[in-house]
Amino acid sequence: MTTETGTLFLHPDRNLALELVRATEAAAIRAVPFIGRGDKNGADGAAVDAMRKFLGTVNFDGVVVIGEGEKDEAPMLFNGEHVGNGRGPACDIAVDPIDGTSLTASGRRNAISMIAAADRGAMLDAHTVFYMEKIVTGPEGIGVVDLRQSVAENIQKLAKAKGKPVSEMSIGILDRPRHEGLIEEIRAAGAGTRLLLDGDVAGGIDAASYEGRLDMCIGIGGSPEGVATACAIKALGGLIQTRLAPKTDEEKQKGLDAGLKFDHVYSADELVKGDNTFFVATGVTDGNLVGGVRRKGPIIRTESIVLRARSGTIRRITADHLVEKWLDDNELAGL
């Protein structure tokens, strides 16, 4: 299909992810001066502005189906916002300019900037309910692990499927007061916990990766992160299941009014339909998934990961950017 302005594609094509990674690179770079400065909203605001600017240059018609920020009044790319130049494939996107704002503000590991994309109408719009229960594993968990089973049963079954003793199982979980009971159950089952300070997207990808350090990632985290993680898990061939976890009756009613299902376990295909999904992430700070932004003389170096479900490909991209093209003199002290 063609127009006077060029070719229009009905679906996201293979080059889209390589365009989107420019936006996550920009967001990560702009967040660097805020690392360790204790200002998570400042970091998020800088990353949002940079991501929005670069998304505007991409040949696609994107709609933010689910974004980050509403639950803590932080800066955000808002739900329903149109991004891109309007030409090219029509897409749903899930964004988090910084997954790990607290990590960034405190100078800790594993903060990333990420975008997930799929065909228009493919993503579950769960923005009315901010949190969901999640369980993520690699391919060995398919048909074995189920969110409706006890934690101990899931660990035991997955250990058997992976051919390793329970004592060697590593379970990732956000370090939150709400998870105290779940942490005790994991340890009582004989497995070890890896407490995540923030960023369960990276934790989920780690659990689904064949070279990851985690065997499973579990617990309650953000709904935007759940949808984005599903895009990545489809490329990795792993398992993700989620169940909405409203904090109030009012929030649950908003979800019901929006057509969401409660006491229902959402599969990967319900979180995002089809296999034409992309996931891109750039490191803000160093982490297990990707390295953080580094200043090397006159350049800024970024490390990104690009996952495409249709082709099952995982690309790692290291890019060097001239400092003078990105930052003014007042910002260089942060690099």
Side-chain angles (χ1 to χ4, degrees):
M1 180 179 179
T2 60
T3 71
E4 293 180 356
T5 58
T7 301
L8 294 181
F9 299 94
L10 296 179
H11 303 288
D13 75 351
R14 69 184 63 190
N15 295 320
L16 179 60
L18 300 181
E19 287 292 304
L20 294 178
V21 78
R22 294 170 58 240
T24 57
E25 287 172 349
I29 290 171
R30 289 295 185 183
V32 168
F34 294 88
I35 293 175
R37 303 299 178 89
D39 182 6
K40 70 176 188 177
N41 281 355
D44 210 22
V48 167
D49 289 344
M51 181 174 282
R52 180 179 281 119
K53 177 181 178 181
F54 273 79
L55 284 175
T57 70
V58 178
N59 286 321
F60 82 130
D61 177 15
V63 174
V64 179
V65 171
I66 195 161
E68 185 61 272
E70 284 187 340
K71 66 174 177 284
D72 53 9
E73 299 182 352
M76 67 181 299
L77 280 147
F78 62 85
N79 300 310
E81 179 175 353
H82 280 257
V83 294
N85 62 15
R87 300 189 298 271
C91 305
D92 285 349
I93 65 170
V95 300
D96 197 345
I98 303 180
D99 181 30
T101 52
S102 296
L103 299 176
T104 303
S106 59
R108 293 192 170 111
R109 291 170 53 84
N110 293 315
I112 62 172
S113 176
M114 69 87 182
I115 300 173
D119 294 329
R120 178 68 53 81
M123 287 185 182
L124 176 72
D125 184 351
H127 78 271
T128 52
V129 180
F130 297 138
Y131 292 99
M132 55 174 54
E133 296 177 68
K134 309 170 195 176
I135 190 166
V136 183
T137 75
E140 300 90 348
I142 296 174
V144 173
V145 167
D146 195 297
L147 199 55
R148 289 158 287 211
Q149 297 175 164
S150 69
V151 176
E153 188 175 0
N154 278 325
I155 292 172
Q156 291 163 2
K157 287 184 175 181
L158 183 60
K160 183 177 180 180
K162 298 187 77 166
K164 61 192 298 185
V166 170
S167 61
E168 292 182 8
M169 295 287 285
S170 295
I171 314 300
I173 184 170
L174 287 172
D175 189 8
R176 300 288 187 271
R178 62 178 178 263
H179 289 150
E180 289 179 359
L182 195 54
I183 290 169
E184 290 180 4
E185 289 183 55
I186 293 168
R187 292 171 177 170
T193 55
R194 299 294 182 270
L195 301 183
L196 310 175
L197 294 174
D198 212 338
D200 63 346
V201 175
I205 294 172
D206 185 278
S209 300
Y210 72 91
E211 59 183 5
R213 301 180 182 183
L214 300 177
D215 296 290
M216 179 189 297
C217 195
I218 195 169
I220 296 174
S223 296
E225 291 88 346
V227 175
T229 303
C231 290
I233 300 310
K234 285 202 162 193
L236 296 168
L239 171 137
I240 180 171
Q241 293 180 343
T242 70
R243 183 164 46 201
L244 294 169
K247 297 181 70 175
T248 65
D249 290 339
E250 180 182 4
E251 188 180 15
K252 183 175 183 179
Q253 187 58 52
K254 287 182 179 179
L256 290 170
D257 293 342
L260 297 175
K261 295 182 283 188
F262 295 85
D263 298 322
H264 172 79
V265 174
Y266 284 90
S267 66
D269 286 332
E270 291 174 300
L271 293 170
V272 57
K273 300 172 186 174
D275 67 350
N276 200 29
T277 66
F278 300 86
F279 177 89
V280 300
T282 300
V284 177
T285 60
D286 283 338
N288 295 335
L289 182 62
V290 282
V293 179
R294 298 289 179 90
R295 170 76 180 274
K296 294 184 178 291
I299 68 165
I300 305 167
R301 180 164 294 169
T302 58
E303 184 177 325
S304 305
I305 188 169
V306 177
L307 306 175
R308 185 176 185 229
R310 175 161 290 176
S311 58
T313 52
I314 304 170
R315 290 183 172 89
R316 293 189 175 274
I317 300 172
T318 300
D320 289 344
H321 315 264
L322 286 174
V323 171
E324 62 184 25
K325 298 291 186 181
W326 287 87
L327 303 171
D328 63 36
D329 291 339
N330 293 325
E331 293 175 307
L332 294 181
L335 287 169

